[in-house]
Amino acid sequence: MATEAPLAVARGVSGLSMFAAFVLKEAKHVLRDRRSLLILLGLPIVMMTLFGFALSNEVKNTNFVVLDRAPDASTLGLTGRISESNYFTFAGRVQSEAEINDRFRRGDARLAVVFPADFEHDLRHLGHAQIRLVADASDPNTASTVSNYAAAIVAQYQAELAEGSVGPGAIAVETRMLYNPQLKSSYMFVPGVMTLILMLLGAMMTSVSIVREKERGTMEVLLVSPMNPLILIIGKAVPYLVLCLIDVLIILLLSYGLLDLPGGANLPLLIAESLLFILTTLTLGLVISNLVQQQQTAMFVSLVGLLMPSLVFSGFMFPIENMPLPLRVISHLVPTRWFYLIASNVMIKHLGFAAVIQPTLILAGMTLVLLFIAWRTFKQRL
Amino acid sequence: MTEWVIEAENLTRRFGAFTAVDAINLKVAAGEIFGFLGANGAGKTTAMRIFCGLLEPSSGRATVAGFDAMTQSEQIKQRIGYMSQKFSLYGKLTVKQNIRFFAGIYGLSRREVKQKTGEIVERLGLTTAADTLVDELPLGWKQRISFAVATVHQPKVVFLDEPTGGVDPIVRRQFWDMIFEASSRGVTVFVTTHYMDEAEYCDRVSIMVDGAVAAMGKPAELCAEYGVASVEEVFVALARKATRHGD
């Protein structure tokens, strides 16, 4: 047939321009869809700010009250010492145990320091005295943090009083928190938040955008066209890959600029690992889009089906070591677990590639398996 | 000798126990406007999807532009245009962007894309609306743009699945003027429709009942054969015998 030759020639050249046309169209869609764009770029900013500042599990400026039946130099000194610290704010004196209860119930104090009447006397003459710390344990985590801080201040005060007179057998405990010396939680959240954001956006955005084409009927037209379905798949992934990388950059900028994450991490390694994880989430989105027919379903599956396990099994919120065996086994199948491990090792512990080879290989393996599943489930013929 | 552009021999498609298309035979000549009629659920869309390579036949044979629909769907795809029943342009892109995109994925060179885009915009009288989002246009315009897009790569055959649903007779007539124009350039048009006045515009029609072709021929011949005045009456006479009911 006479028309054979020109068509065949044209085809080889046009693969690239088809791809260009597709990516261009996809990019226009992303840029025009202000709402999605807002989610894509706003989510990391909102989450970083929330986790970094508002949801910090650090305890600062906790109100405390003092029940002091016989104020004297020692009790006043210790009270002063506690109120000077960043962690506590002096919220007045109370006269009875009942009043402590009252203040706790009203919520305007979370800790009470109770001095016995003979505090100074015991301290001077017996060499030891007792004080009681009463904490509002309706929030157990805060209560234990708060009482630990107060106890530490008391111990320090005591050590100063006994300067030079530490007898044999006295053990001074010095605790050092490695990698996060000030126990600042704000940047501890960074690897976790990054993991969640990439998982959510990568999987949800790709799956929704592919399923949208199915729903609108444009998918049919694309499949009838001579365009290779591989172009469709890669063309869908490229814009979201770029957007996810922008998100990674936003997160890094906020971490170093705003949350004072200590520098020294291997950033090229971190970005390369993020790229790998983004590929994992995009392929996951692809698999979802092959299995569902409606945008709503795609969104639901990504949110409930991915976000929940990602949150629970990443080790970011709940320690995996404390889980029962079946859950620990399941956690191995969750990609976020491995990326969280990589991200926290690289960002917080400043480890190099050698330390994250194993999770990297696991993540790469998962991506290949998902890619295979995506390929097998892709229905070129509807 | 007549060049047959679409041929079906005992073409059958089953979904489980349900036979959507039941051993149909038909031939469509080059340049013909072929009306593929039938009640809802008669199997029109299924048959059309087989011709377009979107579905595989369960048995029988279909060839389009000389290529086998089962094994050579890639060659077929380069020679056909398709306009689906669902309105299928990108609503969030402008008219120009849509034309450029579809021309691009049909493999036209950049120069051709540019030239074609200008041509279509002018031919449809859309110069002022060229940069409007497709979502903001009336349905009739969208349908005409869809048709222009489906024929942008000068296919041998264009498949139209209920292209004029939901618009008034004047707009439908405008659409058919585009079909006549394409046909005069030698494009074969294979069209399904619900509107029996449109059936009269076709060179030949077939009427499907329960997955099988119940009648086929020129509209005038069919009317004579059934002793009625219009294709509509032929259709009603045949559709009454149907046991299957559409959705």
Side-chain angles (χ1 to χ4, degrees):
Chain A
M1 229 184 272
T3 52
E4 263 323 85
L7 267 171
V9 172
R11 221 187 147 203
V13 188
S14 59
L16 220 100
S17 68
M18 284 182 195
F19 180 67
F22 198 88
V23 171
L24 196 67
K25 169 229 133 192
E26 212 45 50
K28 278 179 195 148
H29 264 126
V30 173
L31 292 178
R32 189 155 280 147
D33 187 357
R34 290 286 142 84
R35 212 175 35 169
S36 301
L37 205 60
L38 199 71
I39 296 177
L40 272 165
L41 300 178
L43 192 67
I45 298 176
V46 171
M47 275 180 78
M48 288 292 286
T49 322
L50 267 181
F51 277 104
F53 298 105
L55 300 186
S56 147
N57 58 13
E58 239 178 301
V59 180
K60 264 186 193 162
N61 301 325
T62 304
N63 284 336
F64 78 104
V65 292
V66 175
L67 175 54
D68 188 355
R69 297 207 162 93
D72 55 49
S74 308
T75 64
L76 288 178
L78 192 49
T79 305
R81 185 59 71 85
I82 296 174
S83 20
E84 274 163 23
S85 87
N86 279 333
Y87 302 115
F88 297 102
T89 305
F90 181 64
R93 295 178 175 279
V94 291
Q95 302 308 324
S96 66
E97 304 267 346
E99 205 181 332
I100 294 177
N101 217 337
D102 206 39
R103 297 291 294 269
F104 280 7
R105 283 210 175 130
R106 269 191 280 147
D108 56 24
R110 310 195 80 153
L111 181 80
V113 182
V114 182
F115 294 99
D118 42 11
F119 183 75
E120 167 119 342
H121 177 268
D122 285 357
L123 195 61
R124 294 229 179 278
H125 301 288
L126 300 178
H128 59 85
Q130 281 189 321
I131 67 167
R132 188 143 46 99
L133 298 173
V134 184
D136 172 4
S138 54
D139 175 356
N141 283 334
T142 316
S144 78
T145 312
V146 161
S147 48
N148 283 339
Y149 284 165
I153 295 170
V154 173
Q156 205 183 1
Y157 181 70
Q158 186 187 15
E160 281 167 27
L161 284 182
E163 192 89 325
S165 67
V166 176
I171 300 172
V173 176
E174 191 202 42
T175 314
R176 274 186 65 205
M177 295 295 175
L178 282 184
Y179 313 120
N180 183 7
Q182 296 127 310
L183 277 181
K184 279 184 75 168
S185 56
S186 55
Y187 60 73
M188 291 304 289
F189 278 115
V190 172
V193 169
M194 189 157 116
T195 309
L196 285 184
I197 289 178
L198 293 183
M199 184 57 158
L200 188 62
L201 295 185
M204 189 170 76
M205 292 293 166
T206 1
S207 62
V208 167
S209 92
I210 295 180
V211 174
R212 186 187 297 138
E213 302 243 12
K214 283 197 200 174
E215 219 176 86
R216 284 207 67 151
T218 43
M219 188 58 101
E220 257 182 35
V221 181
L222 294 181
L223 292 180
V224 173
S225 82
M227 187 179 72
N228 190 322
L230 206 60
I231 292 183
L232 191 150
I233 291 172
I234 301 174
K236 278 282 176 193
V238 166
Y240 293 104
L241 186 79
V242 172
L243 278 168
C244 285
L245 271 180
I246 293 177
D247 278 349
V248 170
L249 293 181
I250 292 178
I251 292 172
L252 290 181
L253 275 176
L254 288 176
S255 312
Y256 289 107
L258 219 61
L259 300 181
D260 301 322
L261 181 69
N266 184 343
L267 288 184
L269 173 65
L270 186 63
I271 289 174
E273 295 280 358
S274 306
L275 200 62
L276 172 63
F277 183 60
I278 293 169
L279 283 178
T280 318
T281 63
L282 293 181
T283 10
L284 203 54
L286 216 59
V287 173
I288 294 175
S289 71
N290 288 345
L291 301 179
V292 306
Q293 299 298 328
Q294 259 131 31
Q295 286 184 65
Q296 300 285 334
T297 328
M299 194 142 2
F300 185 77
V301 170
S302 327
L303 274 175
V304 180
L306 291 183
L307 191 62
M308 281 311 288
S310 298
L311 203 64
V312 174
F313 293 115
S314 63
F316 159 46
M317 297 226 153
F318 312 105
I320 294 171
E321 305 85 67
N322 296 352
M323 291 178 185
L325 185 66
L327 294 187
R328 261 182 289 158
V329 172
I330 292 173
S331 79
H332 285 87
L333 299 172
V334 179
T336 44
R337 175 193 169 148
W338 304 109
F339 184 68
Y340 178 66
L341 191 64
I342 295 171
S344 52
N345 275 344
V346 175
M347 285 179 102
I348 308 291
K349 294 195 194 167
H350 298 169
L351 294 179
F353 181 59
V356 293
I357 286 180
Q358 192 213 10
T360 305
L361 288 179
I362 293 175
L363 217 48
M366 280 181 172
T367 312
L368 287 178
V369 171
L370 285 170
L371 209 57
F372 180 73
I373 296 175
W375 185 247
R376 292 305 296 266
T377 50
F378 185 76
K379 290 182 209 79
Q380 193 183 340
R381 290 165 189 255
L382 290 173
Chain B
M1 208 187 108
T2 321
E3 186 195 348
W4 301 112
V5 176
I6 304 171
E7 285 178 89
E9 276 173 43
N10 292 319
L11 189 66
T12 303
R13 172 70 203 207
R14 282 179 286 269
F15 295 101
F18 175 73
T19 308
V21 174
D22 194 0
I24 63 170
N25 288 286
L26 57 83
K27 282 181 174 185
V28 179
E32 215 178 359
I33 300 176
F34 189 87
F36 197 51
L37 314 181
N40 281 338
K44 292 174 312 224
T45 301
T46 307
M48 194 178 247
R49 286 186 158 185
I50 296 173
F51 291 133
C52 293
L54 286 175
L55 272 177
E56 280 180 12
S58 305
S59 64
R61 234 169 78 85
T63 57
V64 175
F67 295 98
D68 190 296
M70 183 83 131
T71 55
Q72 296 173 301
S73 58
E74 288 313 308
Q75 282 92 330
I76 293 178
K77 282 177 181 179
Q78 294 179 36
R79 290 165 178 81
I80 62 168
Y82 173 67
M83 182 176 160
S84 90
Q85 185 171 47
K86 281 190 209 165
F87 157 70
S88 48
L89 296 169
Y90 291 97
K92 300 280 180 231
L93 296 184
T94 67
V95 174
K96 259 191 192 163
Q97 287 169 342
N98 265 289
I99 301 173
R100 275 199 220 122
F101 169 67
F102 283 105
I105 66 162
Y106 274 112
L108 270 63
S109 73
R110 208 185 294 168
R111 196 170 44 85
E112 288 172 313
V113 170
K114 210 174 161 189
Q115 181 204 335
K116 279 281 173 190
T117 308
E119 228 176 84
I120 291 174
V121 166
E122 199 160 320
R123 182 150 46 94
L124 295 181
L126 286 173
T127 334
T128 49
D131 293 313
T132 312
L133 294 190
V134 164
D135 265 349
E136 290 161 14
L137 295 176
L139 183 59
W141 290 29
K142 292 181 193 171
Q143 289 170 342
R144 286 162 62 205
I145 300 165
S146 291
F147 181 78
V149 158
T151 52
V152 70
H153 55 304
Q154 291 169 311
K156 245 180 140 49
V157 194
V158 59
F159 291 92
L160 311 173
D161 195 358
E162 286 174 25
T164 57
V167 296
D168 63 53
I170 298 166
V171 177
R172 283 201 279 129
R173 179 67 217 197
Q174 285 174 340
F175 190 89
W176 274 85
D177 285 338
M178 289 183 75
I179 294 183
F180 293 140
E181 194 267 334
S183 164
S184 73
R185 279 186 283 126
V187 178
T188 309
V189 180
F190 188 92
V191 56
T192 73
T193 180
H194 276 313
Y195 299 107
M196 289 304 140
D197 58 325
E198 290 185 349
E200 312 274 352
Y201 300 149
C202 299
D203 295 325
R204 278 194 310 141
V205 297
S206 74
I207 298 176
M208 266 184 103
V209 178
D210 290 349
V213 173
M216 180 156 53
K218 290 189 166 66
E221 287 173 3
L222 281 182
C223 294
E225 188 183 322
Y226 284 80
V228 292
S230 67
V231 177
E232 177 155 14
E233 288 167 78
V234 180
F235 183 84
V236 171
L238 288 170
R240 269 210 196 104
K241 296 177 195 153
T243 51
R244 213 192 266 175
H245 291 282
D247 36 29

